[in-house]
Amino acid sequence: QVQLQESGGGLVQAGGSLRLSCAASGRTFTVYDMGWFRQAPGKEREKVASITSSGGRTYYADSVKGRFTMSRDNAKNTVYVQMNSLKPEDTAVYFCAARPTWSTQYNYWGQGTQVTVSS
């Protein structure tokens, strides 16, 4: 099992930047692919980015491509998402999640961190 804790959320003006971090503890971090998801009020949860266990491949939703960059530091058991050129529609609770490399499901979730982008 792995425990996840997000940090770095906050209030930012449109066009600004934030970097979210997700620290993992528990089982060996390198057996997990990692993802960032978000959920805005009244909307379904959306996967915005993911990264493989080695960090060799990333995925981005079209809505954030070119603005968000996900990375991981396996020595620190931490993943990050750098969010630039933020828009009001990026406002949501952001969650990190872990998926064992042998699984199709994200089994472990953090508590989430609020990101609010003002216009």
Side-chain angles (χ1 to χ4, degrees):
Q1 193 162 355
V2 63
Q3 293 79 43
L4 304 173
Q5 180 64 57
E6 304 94 339
S7 61
L11 173 64
V12 63
Q13 288 189 331
S17 298
L18 282 174
R19 188 176 83 153
L20 305 183
S21 301
C22 173
S25 60
R27 282 197 61 180
T28 306
F29 184 59
T30 52
V31 303
Y32 297 101
D33 297 331
M34 299 294 294
W36 282 101
F37 294 75
R38 67 186 181 187
Q39 188 164 24
K43 294 190 176 181
E44 292 190 355
R45 187 172 61 197
E46 169 191 24
K47 186 170 83 169
V48 296
S50 63
I51 192 166
T52 54
S53 58
S54 66
R57 283 184 292 135
T58 53
Y59 155 88
Y60 299 98
D62 288 343
S63 58
V64 306
K65 202 171 291 183
R67 300 188 297 120
F68 288 16
T69 303
M70 185 172 184
S71 61
R72 67 189 293 161
D73 185 338
N74 285 343
K76 295 182 178 180
N77 288 2
T78 302
V79 293
Y80 308 93
V81 60
Q82 177 67 43
M83 307 187 295
N84 297 330
S85 303
L86 283 162
K87 305 175 181 180
E89 52 263 43
D90 294 317
T91 296
V93 178
Y94 284 71
F95 301 89
C96 71
R99 180 182 69 190
T101 55
W102 60 87
S103 174
T104 60
Q105 301 291 329
Y106 284 90
N107 301 100
Y108 305 103
W109 294 83
Q111 301 254 356
T113 186
Q114 176 71 46
V115 171
T116 303
V117 184
S118 63
S119 57

